[in-house]
Amino acid sequence: MIYTTLTNQAMQVAYAAHHGQFDCNGVPYIFHPYHLAEQMPDEITACVALLHDVLEDTPVTMAQLQELFPPVVTEALFLLTHQADTAYLDYVRAIRQNPVARTVKLADLAHNADQSRITDPDAVSAEKKAYWQQKYAEAIRILES
């Protein structure tokens, strides 16, 4: 992790926003964005990785984030927030245009596609796992093209 005043602020916001949330294995959700942030090459991508699910999965608003973070962070976060009325692959194509969002999304997809994270293999059907693998593979293909 890159430790700066800005990444510390992102850690604090993400930790508070995701407090009480758990992934499908019962692991505190905050470990997912922290895992991504550990892989990032610079301060800005680390901040975006930490905050990448905050707008989509918590009550935190864009206006609140814009008060705390520079536009390079909030613009990437806007792109990484999937809107319900946007087809998933169109959302991915929009991300491709922003290098910060693209870097974070590729790490997000790799972590989400890692089925070794599923501790109870019976908790997720084979069909669902296959769907996720296909979906993530197509998104990675788009982002890497």
Side-chain angles (χ1 to χ4, degrees):
M1 174 88 76
I2 295 163
Y3 293 94
T4 66
T5 301
L6 198 63
T7 58
N8 186 19
Q9 188 163 7
M11 281 189 274
Q12 298 297 325
V13 170
Y15 183 79
H18 290 297
H19 181 75
Q21 293 180 342
F22 299 88
D23 71 12
C24 65
N25 293 305
V27 174
Y29 189 80
I30 194 61
F31 289 113
H32 169 65
Y34 279 7
H35 174 78
L36 301 188
E38 288 287 342
Q39 302 170 57
M40 295 299 114
D42 57 53
E43 177 185 55
I44 299 303
T45 54
C47 287
V48 173
L50 288 163
L51 299 167
H52 81 278
D53 281 334
V54 166
L55 291 172
E56 199 168 309
D57 297 338
T58 80
V60 173
T61 67
M62 178 59 84
Q64 290 170 314
L65 294 177
Q66 288 171 325
E67 290 179 18
L68 299 171
F69 299 98
V72 67
V73 170
T74 57
E75 289 165 6
L77 291 173
F78 177 79
L79 288 170
L80 288 165
T81 304
H82 185 203
Q83 304 300 317
D85 63 344
T86 303
Y88 180 73
L89 294 180
D90 290 339
Y91 152 77
V92 172
R93 286 182 193 97
I95 289 170
R96 182 176 56 196
Q97 307 310 314
N98 181 295
V100 172
R102 182 179 173 277
T103 298
V104 172
K105 189 62 178 177
L106 282 167
D108 183 40
L109 290 165
H111 197 225
N112 289 343
D114 179 3
Q115 292 188 3
S116 72
R117 293 175 55 212
I118 303 170
T119 56
D120 178 3
D122 297 328
V124 180
S125 71
E127 293 80 17
K128 186 69 165 180
K129 289 177 192 173
Y131 167 76
W132 285 340
Q133 286 303 107
Q134 183 277 326
K135 175 182 173 180
Y136 299 145
E138 179 64 14
I140 291 167
R141 186 193 64 72
I142 289 169
L143 291 173
E144 290 181 339
S145 66

Short mmCIF file of all heavy atoms in Angstrom, two decimals, residues 98-132:
data_model
loop_
_atom_site.label_atom_id
_atom_site.label_comp_id
_atom_site.label_asym_id
_atom_site.label_seq_id
_atom_site.Cartn_x
_atom_site.Cartn_y
_atom_site.Cartn_z
N ASN A 98 -10.51 5.46 -19.16
CA ASN A 98 -9.86 6.16 -18.05
C ASN A 98 -8.78 5.25 -17.47
O ASN A 98 -9.10 4.20 -16.91
CB ASN A 98 -10.91 6.52 -17.00
CG ASN A 98 -10.35 7.26 -15.82
OD1 ASN A 98 -9.54 6.72 -15.07
ND2 ASN A 98 -10.80 8.48 -15.62
N PRO A 99 -7.51 5.62 -17.58
CA PRO A 99 -6.43 4.72 -17.13
C PRO A 99 -6.50 4.35 -15.64
O PRO A 99 -6.18 3.22 -15.28
CB PRO A 99 -5.15 5.51 -17.42
CG PRO A 99 -5.53 6.57 -18.38
CD PRO A 99 -6.99 6.84 -18.19
N VAL A 100 -6.92 5.28 -14.81
CA VAL A 100 -7.02 4.98 -13.37
C VAL A 100 -8.15 3.97 -13.13
O VAL A 100 -7.94 2.94 -12.48
CB VAL A 100 -7.25 6.27 -12.55
CG1 VAL A 100 -7.56 5.95 -11.09
CG2 VAL A 100 -6.05 7.20 -12.67
N ALA A 101 -9.32 4.23 -13.67
CA ALA A 101 -10.45 3.33 -13.49
C ALA A 101 -10.14 1.96 -14.10
O ALA A 101 -10.48 0.92 -13.52
CB ALA A 101 -11.71 3.92 -14.12
N ARG A 102 -9.50 1.97 -15.24
CA ARG A 102 -9.15 0.71 -15.93
C ARG A 102 -8.22 -0.14 -15.07
O ARG A 102 -8.42 -1.35 -14.92
CB ARG A 102 -8.50 1.04 -17.28
CG ARG A 102 -8.14 -0.15 -18.10
CD ARG A 102 -7.51 0.33 -19.44
NE ARG A 102 -7.01 -0.79 -20.17
CZ ARG A 102 -5.82 -1.36 -19.98
NH1 ARG A 102 -5.00 -0.87 -19.08
NH2 ARG A 102 -5.45 -2.39 -20.70
N THR A 103 -7.20 0.46 -14.49
CA THR A 103 -6.25 -0.26 -13.65
C THR A 103 -6.95 -0.89 -12.45
O THR A 103 -6.74 -2.06 -12.12
CB THR A 103 -5.13 0.69 -13.17
OG1 THR A 103 -4.41 1.16 -14.32
CG2 THR A 103 -4.17 0.01 -12.21
N VAL A 104 -7.80 -0.11 -11.81
CA VAL A 104 -8.52 -0.61 -10.63
C VAL A 104 -9.50 -1.70 -11.02
O VAL A 104 -9.60 -2.74 -10.35
CB VAL A 104 -9.22 0.54 -9.88
CG1 VAL A 104 -10.12 0.02 -8.77
CG2 VAL A 104 -8.17 1.51 -9.32
N LYS A 105 -10.23 -1.51 -12.12
CA LYS A 105 -11.23 -2.51 -12.52
C LYS A 105 -10.58 -3.83 -12.89
O LYS A 105 -11.12 -4.90 -12.58
CB LYS A 105 -12.10 -1.99 -13.67
CG LYS A 105 -13.28 -2.88 -13.98
CD LYS A 105 -14.22 -2.97 -12.77
CE LYS A 105 -15.44 -3.81 -13.07
NZ LYS A 105 -16.30 -3.94 -11.86
N LEU A 106 -9.43 -3.79 -13.54
CA LEU A 106 -8.74 -5.04 -13.86
C LEU A 106 -8.37 -5.80 -12.59
O LEU A 106 -8.53 -7.03 -12.52
CB LEU A 106 -7.50 -4.77 -14.72
CG LEU A 106 -7.79 -4.51 -16.19
CD1 LEU A 106 -6.56 -3.95 -16.90
CD2 LEU A 106 -8.29 -5.78 -16.89
N ALA A 107 -7.89 -5.11 -11.58
CA ALA A 107 -7.57 -5.76 -10.31
C ALA A 107 -8.84 -6.28 -9.63
O ALA A 107 -8.85 -7.38 -9.05
CB ALA A 107 -6.83 -4.79 -9.39
N ASP A 108 -9.91 -5.50 -9.71
CA ASP A 108 -11.20 -5.90 -9.13
C ASP A 108 -11.72 -7.18 -9.79
O ASP A 108 -12.15 -8.12 -9.12
CB ASP A 108 -12.20 -4.75 -9.32
CG ASP A 108 -13.56 -5.01 -8.70
OD1 ASP A 108 -13.64 -5.58 -7.60
OD2 ASP A 108 -14.56 -4.61 -9.33
N LEU A 109 -11.66 -7.22 -11.10
CA LEU A 109 -12.13 -8.40 -11.84
C LEU A 109 -11.28 -9.62 -11.49
O LEU A 109 -11.83 -10.73 -11.32
CB LEU A 109 -12.09 -8.13 -13.34
CG LEU A 109 -13.13 -7.13 -13.85
CD1 LEU A 109 -12.78 -6.67 -15.25
CD2 LEU A 109 -14.53 -7.73 -13.78
N ALA A 110 -9.98 -9.46 -11.40
CA ALA A 110 -9.12 -10.59 -11.06
C ALA A 110 -9.46 -11.13 -9.67
O ALA A 110 -9.54 -12.35 -9.48
CB ALA A 110 -7.65 -10.17 -11.13
N HIS A 111 -9.68 -10.24 -8.73
CA HIS A 111 -10.01 -10.68 -7.37
C HIS A 111 -11.40 -11.32 -7.34
O HIS A 111 -11.59 -12.38 -6.72
CB HIS A 111 -9.94 -9.50 -6.41
CG HIS A 111 -9.86 -9.90 -4.98
ND1 HIS A 111 -10.61 -9.31 -4.00
CD2 HIS A 111 -9.09 -10.83 -4.35
CE1 HIS A 111 -10.32 -9.85 -2.83
NE2 HIS A 111 -9.39 -10.78 -3.02
N ASN A 112 -12.36 -10.72 -8.03
CA ASN A 112 -13.71 -11.29 -8.06
C ASN A 112 -13.74 -12.65 -8.76
O ASN A 112 -14.55 -13.52 -8.42
CB ASN A 112 -14.68 -10.34 -8.76
CG ASN A 112 -14.98 -9.12 -7.93
OD1 ASN A 112 -14.74 -9.08 -6.72
ND2 ASN A 112 -15.51 -8.09 -8.56
N ALA A 113 -12.89 -12.84 -9.75
CA ALA A 113 -12.86 -14.09 -10.51
C ALA A 113 -12.13 -15.21 -9.77
O ALA A 113 -12.21 -16.37 -10.18
CB ALA A 113 -12.20 -13.87 -11.87
N ASP A 114 -11.45 -14.89 -8.70
CA ASP A 114 -10.69 -15.89 -7.95
C ASP A 114 -11.65 -16.74 -7.12
O ASP A 114 -12.01 -16.39 -6.00
CB ASP A 114 -9.68 -15.19 -7.05
CG ASP A 114 -8.86 -16.16 -6.22
OD1 ASP A 114 -9.03 -17.40 -6.37
OD2 ASP A 114 -8.06 -15.67 -5.39
N GLN A 115 -12.03 -17.88 -7.68
CA GLN A 115 -13.01 -18.73 -7.01
C GLN A 115 -12.42 -19.46 -5.81
O GLN A 115 -13.16 -20.06 -5.03
CB GLN A 115 -13.65 -19.69 -8.01
CG GLN A 115 -14.52 -18.94 -8.99
CD GLN A 115 -15.34 -19.83 -9.89
OE1 GLN A 115 -15.35 -21.04 -9.78
NE2 GLN A 115 -16.05 -19.21 -10.80
N SER A 116 -11.12 -19.39 -5.61
CA SER A 116 -10.54 -19.98 -4.41
C SER A 116 -10.96 -19.19 -3.17
O SER A 116 -10.82 -19.69 -2.04
CB SER A 116 -9.01 -20.04 -4.51
OG SER A 116 -8.45 -18.74 -4.39
N ARG A 117 -11.50 -17.99 -3.36
CA ARG A 117 -12.00 -17.20 -2.23
C ARG A 117 -13.30 -17.77 -1.67
O ARG A 117 -13.69 -17.42 -0.56
CB ARG A 117 -12.24 -15.75 -2.68
CG ARG A 117 -10.99 -15.01 -3.03
CD ARG A 117 -11.28 -13.63 -3.59
NE ARG A 117 -12.10 -12.84 -2.69
CZ ARG A 117 -12.99 -11.93 -3.09
NH1 ARG A 117 -13.19 -11.70 -4.38
NH2 ARG A 117 -13.70 -11.26 -2.21
N ILE A 118 -13.98 -18.62 -2.43
CA ILE A 118 -15.24 -19.20 -1.98
C ILE A 118 -14.91 -20.37 -1.06
O ILE A 118 -14.47 -21.43 -1.51
CB ILE A 118 -16.11 -19.65 -3.17
CG1 ILE A 118 -16.38 -18.47 -4.10
CG2 ILE A 118 -17.41 -20.27 -2.67
CD1 ILE A 118 -17.03 -18.86 -5.42
N THR A 119 -15.10 -20.18 0.24
CA THR A 119 -14.71 -21.21 1.20
C THR A 119 -15.70 -22.36 1.28
O THR A 119 -15.32 -23.46 1.65
CB THR A 119 -14.52 -20.59 2.60
OG1 THR A 119 -15.71 -19.91 2.99
CG2 THR A 119 -13.35 -19.62 2.60
N ASP A 120 -16.95 -22.11 0.94
CA ASP A 120 -17.96 -23.17 0.93
C ASP A 120 -18.39 -23.38 -0.52
O ASP A 120 -19.23 -22.64 -1.03
CB ASP A 120 -19.16 -22.79 1.79
CG ASP A 120 -20.26 -23.84 1.78
OD1 ASP A 120 -20.08 -24.90 1.15
OD2 ASP A 120 -21.30 -23.59 2.41
N PRO A 121 -17.82 -24.37 -1.20
CA PRO A 121 -18.10 -24.57 -2.62
C PRO A 121 -19.59 -24.79 -2.92
O PRO A 121 -20.03 -24.52 -4.02
CB PRO A 121 -17.29 -25.82 -2.98
CG PRO A 121 -16.32 -26.01 -1.89
CD PRO A 121 -16.87 -25.34 -0.67
N ASP A 122 -20.34 -25.27 -1.94
CA ASP A 122 -21.77 -25.50 -2.15
C ASP A 122 -22.61 -24.24 -2.00
O ASP A 122 -23.80 -24.24 -2.30
CB ASP A 122 -22.27 -26.58 -1.19
CG ASP A 122 -21.59 -27.92 -1.43
OD1 ASP A 122 -21.25 -28.20 -2.60
OD2 ASP A 122 -21.40 -28.66 -0.45
N ALA A 123 -21.99 -23.16 -1.53
CA ALA A 123 -22.73 -21.91 -1.31
C ALA A 123 -23.08 -21.21 -2.63
O ALA A 123 -24.00 -20.41 -2.68
CB ALA A 123 -21.94 -20.97 -0.42
N VAL A 124 -22.32 -21.53 -3.69
CA VAL A 124 -22.55 -20.91 -4.99
C VAL A 124 -22.67 -22.04 -6.02
O VAL A 124 -21.80 -22.91 -6.10
CB VAL A 124 -21.38 -19.97 -5.37
CG1 VAL A 124 -21.62 -19.34 -6.73
CG2 VAL A 124 -21.18 -18.90 -4.30
N SER A 125 -23.74 -21.99 -6.80
CA SER A 125 -23.98 -23.05 -7.79
C SER A 125 -22.92 -23.03 -8.89
O SER A 125 -22.30 -22.00 -9.16
CB SER A 125 -25.37 -22.88 -8.42
OG SER A 125 -25.37 -21.75 -9.28
N ALA A 126 -22.75 -24.19 -9.53
CA ALA A 126 -21.82 -24.29 -10.65
C ALA A 126 -22.23 -23.35 -11.77
O ALA A 126 -21.37 -22.76 -12.44
CB ALA A 126 -21.77 -25.74 -11.14
N GLU A 127 -23.53 -23.18 -11.98
CA GLU A 127 -24.03 -22.28 -13.02
C GLU A 127 -23.64 -20.84 -12.73
O GLU A 127 -23.22 -20.10 -13.62
CB GLU A 127 -25.56 -22.40 -13.17
CG GLU A 127 -26.02 -23.73 -13.70
CD GLU A 127 -26.07 -24.84 -12.63
OE1 GLU A 127 -26.05 -24.53 -11.41
OE2 GLU A 127 -26.11 -26.02 -13.02
N LYS A 128 -23.78 -20.44 -11.47
CA LYS A 128 -23.43 -19.08 -11.07
C LYS A 128 -21.92 -18.85 -11.22
O LYS A 128 -21.49 -17.82 -11.73
CB LYS A 128 -23.87 -18.82 -9.63
CG LYS A 128 -23.69 -17.39 -9.17
CD LYS A 128 -24.64 -16.48 -9.89
CE LYS A 128 -24.72 -15.15 -9.19
NZ LYS A 128 -25.64 -14.24 -9.83
N LYS A 129 -21.13 -19.82 -10.83
CA LYS A 129 -19.67 -19.70 -10.97
C LYS A 129 -19.29 -19.58 -12.45
O LYS A 129 -18.44 -18.76 -12.80
CB LYS A 129 -18.97 -20.90 -10.35
CG LYS A 129 -19.03 -20.93 -8.84
CD LYS A 129 -18.36 -22.21 -8.34
CE LYS A 129 -18.65 -22.44 -6.88
NZ LYS A 129 -18.15 -23.75 -6.43
N ALA A 130 -19.92 -20.38 -13.29
CA ALA A 130 -19.63 -20.32 -14.73
C ALA A 130 -20.04 -18.97 -15.30
O ALA A 130 -19.33 -18.39 -16.13
CB ALA A 130 -20.34 -21.46 -15.46
N TYR A 131 -21.19 -18.46 -14.87
CA TYR A 131 -21.65 -17.15 -15.32
C TYR A 131 -20.64 -16.07 -14.93
O TYR A 131 -20.28 -15.23 -15.75
CB TYR A 131 -23.04 -16.84 -14.72
CG TYR A 131 -23.44 -15.40 -14.89
CD1 TYR A 131 -23.88 -14.93 -16.13
CD2 TYR A 131 -23.35 -14.51 -13.83
CE1 TYR A 131 -24.23 -13.60 -16.29
CE2 TYR A 131 -23.69 -13.18 -13.99
CZ TYR A 131 -24.13 -12.73 -15.21
OH TYR A 131 -24.47 -11.41 -15.38
N TRP A 132 -20.19 -16.09 -13.68
CA TRP A 132 -19.22 -15.10 -13.22
C TRP A 132 -17.93 -15.19 -14.04
O TRP A 132 -17.39 -14.17 -14.46
CB TRP A 132 -18.89 -15.30 -11.75
CG TRP A 132 -19.94 -14.85 -10.79
CD1 TRP A 132 -20.96 -13.97 -11.02
CD2 TRP A 132 -20.08 -15.27 -9.43
NE1 TRP A 132 -21.72 -13.81 -9.90
CE2 TRP A 132 -21.21 -14.60 -8.90
CE3 TRP A 132 -19.37 -16.15 -8.62
CZ2 TRP A 132 -21.63 -14.77 -7.58
CZ3 TRP A 132 -19.79 -16.32 -7.31
CH2 TRP A 132 -20.90 -15.64 -6.80
#
